[in-house]
Amino acid sequence: MTEQVKYFKLYDDMYVPGRWLLRFPLFKDGGGSGAREDDDERELFDTWRFNEGRVLEIERPIRLSMKPAGVALEFSEAMGIPIVHRRVVSLFERLGIQKEVQFIPVEVEGQTQPWFILNALQVIRCVDDARCDEVFYWGPEDGEPDRVGEYRNVRGLKVDPAKIGRAHIFRPWGWLVVLIVSEHVKQAMEAEGITGIKFLEV
């Protein structure tokens, strides 16, 4: 009998001593527009697009600031969006899963090495409602018609491996704030010594 594949939530280890904290710019052009802080026409950077599981075309350079400055981590998050070092890109290429993600170059304040947004390209309907601790759904009464039927909150997330197929990195449909990887990817990242990673079995 084939052993069932395990899956893990991949997230940012916030307890690394002296670690950096990355922030997206206020303006889409990285803050160079000259607009004042109180300008009503300021344009906030849209990070939600990096959760939608699609290839993105980025027209302007993305620059991230470091507040506070600290130890650079090869995997970290800015507003929930994964930011990774070139070593993560190389690892995914060696694992043969580079087609499951898009690596979008970013500039990080004070850094000369290459950094990237990790944009997972698959969204899979795989949340196992019965095994989760609790699930809450958006309803018609919540005033968000586009989100009716999606998850409003998920506690103790569990996924159904039978619905995942051969995917190694993805976001669960209806609960896009979570990034999930296979045990194969987890073990490879740990063996590579990628800094900043933390995992929770789902």
Side-chain angles (χ1 to χ4, degrees), residues 31-103:
S33 65
R36 299 187 308 274
E37 184 68 23
D38 60 352
D39 190 341
D40 291 335
E41 296 180 358
R42 66 189 180 188
E43 190 170 26
L44 293 175
F45 191 87
D46 176 19
T47 58
W48 186 250
R49 55 185 163 168
F50 300 111
N51 290 340
E52 295 176 342
R54 59 187 177 89
V55 174
L56 298 171
E57 293 185 9
I58 306 298
E59 297 177 355
R60 305 182 189 176
I62 299 175
R63 302 179 183 90
L64 279 66
S65 62
M66 217 189 309
K67 296 178 182 178
V71 177
L73 300 176
E74 292 167 327
F75 179 94
S76 57
E77 295 177 346
M79 295 181 65
I81 305 305
I83 309 298
V84 301
H85 187 264
R86 169 66 196 177
R87 288 215 310 135
V88 176
V89 179
S90 298
L91 175 61
F92 276 41
E93 289 172 347
R94 295 202 304 274
L95 293 174
I97 61 172
Q98 67 272 23
K99 291 184 179 179
E100 297 186 31
V101 295
Q102 177 188 15
F103 290 107

Side-chain angles (χ1 to χ4, degrees), residues 14-26:
M14 296 301 297
Y15 295 99
V16 176
R19 56 157 294 155
W20 67 2
L21 289 177
L22 297 179
R23 299 173 185 259
F24 274 97
L26 175 63

Side-chain angles (χ1 to χ4, degrees), residues 4-10 91-92 95 97 100 122 124 159 161 164-171 179-190 197-202:
Q4 193 173 62
V5 177
K6 294 180 180 179
Y7 294 91
F8 297 82
K9 174 186 174 183
L10 168 59
L91 175 61
F92 276 41
L95 293 174
I97 61 172
E100 297 186 31
Q122 298 181 92
I124 300 175
V159 298
I164 294 171
R166 297 185 178 183
H168 284 286
I169 181 167
F170 58 93
R171 293 185 183 275
L179 182 64
I180 296 176
V181 298
S182 66
E183 187 173 22
H184 179 57
V185 173
K186 171 184 180 289
Q187 292 175 343
M189 294 184 80
E190 291 174 333
I197 54 175
K198 201 162 179 122
F199 299 93
L200 178 66
E201 187 173 353
V202 295

